[in-house]
Amino acid sequence: MDARSLMQAAEEVARKSGDVALGFFRQGVTVDTKGDGTPVTVADRTAEKTAREWIESRFPEDGILGEEFGETRPGARRRWILDPIDGTKTFIRGVPLWGTLVAVTEGETILAGAAYFPPVGEMLVAAPGQGCWWNGKRTKVSAEAELSRALVLTTDERFLTYPQRGAAWRGLAAKASVSRTWGDCYGYLMLATGRAEVMVDELMSPWDAAALQPIIEEAGGVFTDWTGKRTAFGGNCIATNAVLAEQVRELLGAKGT
């Protein structure tokens, strides 16, 4: 299956499952707590089931890894990685800055990624060599080269797991024009569409990051972990436009790109 077809498939399943999640948004759903202490709702589970059913009906030999229901066919050559609601804490508070993420991978090579933002009606889809598309039009990261004019974003500025990274982040933020916590996947939407210059996360699972790597890179940005390695599987992320990439990683203590 070619890259363009995989992009279209990822976009379709992201839209279908995201629209299911949207049907529960601001409806007062019950919130449960998972074993890792994070929240989950019927919206997360129903949206992921929708995505899985769609994939199973069309790609029955492919593996699936989802945040809510784990892994299916772990030995499959090709795998779909799903996050039905990236930003559940945001979702349950009625804030519209959440999204649905879908990636298609072979090993750690990401073949296509889609990020759908149902409450605000925005879709990003990308594949290596195919560009990044925002609501059907090509999109690019900004060309802003001055950190003093940049908008920098993170999901949680407390950096509770890695306080030393928090200190580095605060140093970076102090040099920027604006610092905000428009985080989770929404921050990467802002970056990919040229509305922000930096997005940083101290903790990310594969389903948080896999769809976003090709989106940022095909929009002309740089996507690495906190060691400077180009990967969506490093457990964290520093994403930037191209011209600020080296400076930002130096300020954050990353080793390079």
Side-chain angles (χ1 to χ4, degrees), residues 5 34 90 92-93 157 167 205-206:
S5 296
K34 296 189 285 190
T90 298
I92 62 180
R93 286 164 177 79
E157 63 185 359
S205 297

Side-chain angles (χ1 to χ4, degrees), residues 10 38 49 69 79 116 170 178 202 226 244 255:
T38 60
K49 285 179 180 177
F69 296 106
R79 179 170 66 164
Y116 177 42
R170 287 185 287 276
V178 182
E202 68 166 336
W226 276 74
L244 287 172
K255 296 177 181 178

Side-chain angles (χ1 to χ4, degrees), residues 35-231:
D36 63 1
T38 60
V40 64
T41 72
V42 64
D44 300 83
R45 297 185 179 113
T46 306
E48 185 169 318
K49 285 179 180 177
T50 298
R52 286 175 174 270
E53 289 170 0
W54 188 96
I55 294 164
E56 292 282 5
S57 68
R58 292 161 177 80
F59 304 96
E61 296 182 359
D62 287 5
I64 303 173
L65 173 65
E67 179 173 9
E68 308 309 334
F69 296 106
E71 191 160 17
T72 302
R73 289 181 291 278
R77 178 182 62 84
R78 191 167 61 196
R79 179 170 66 164
W80 296 71
I81 302 180
L82 312 173
D83 192 345
I85 300 177
D86 185 77
T88 297
K89 293 177 182 178
T90 298
F91 178 96
I92 62 180
R93 286 164 177 79
V95 178
L97 309 184
W98 55 271
T100 299
L101 304 179
V102 176
V104 191
T105 69
E106 286 186 1
E108 292 193 1
T109 300
I110 302 170
L111 307 177
Y116 177 42
F117 303 84
V120 294
E122 298 187 59
M123 173 72 79
L124 288 169
V125 61
Q130 300 299 312
C132 181
W133 299 82
W134 175 32
N135 288 356
K137 297 180 180 179
R138 289 289 292 266
T139 184
K140 291 288 186 181
V141 297
S142 84
E144 180 55 66
E146 296 295 330
L147 185 57
S148 62
R149 293 197 294 263
L151 168 60
V152 300
L153 305 172
T154 189
T155 297
D156 189 338
E157 63 185 359
R158 297 172 299 171
F159 285 78
L160 296 176
T161 303
Y162 297 100
Q164 71 277 18
R165 291 179 181 170
W169 160 260
R170 287 185 287 276
L172 170 70
K175 296 179 182 296
S177 173
V178 182
S179 171
R180 292 289 184 269
T181 52
W182 300 330
D184 299 308
C185 56
Y186 191 82
Y188 299 90
L189 166 66
M190 294 284 288
L191 176 61
T193 54
R195 292 177 280 176
E197 282 67 48
V198 178
M199 175 62 199
V200 171
D201 269 304
E202 68 166 336
L203 289 173
M204 296 185 87
S205 297
W207 45 79
D208 299 317
L212 300 173
Q213 183 182 359
I215 284 170
I216 297 302
E217 292 182 345
E218 287 297 307
V222 179
F223 189 102
T224 70
D225 65 12
W226 276 74
T227 72
K229 180 181 179 182
R230 178 180 171 264
T231 180

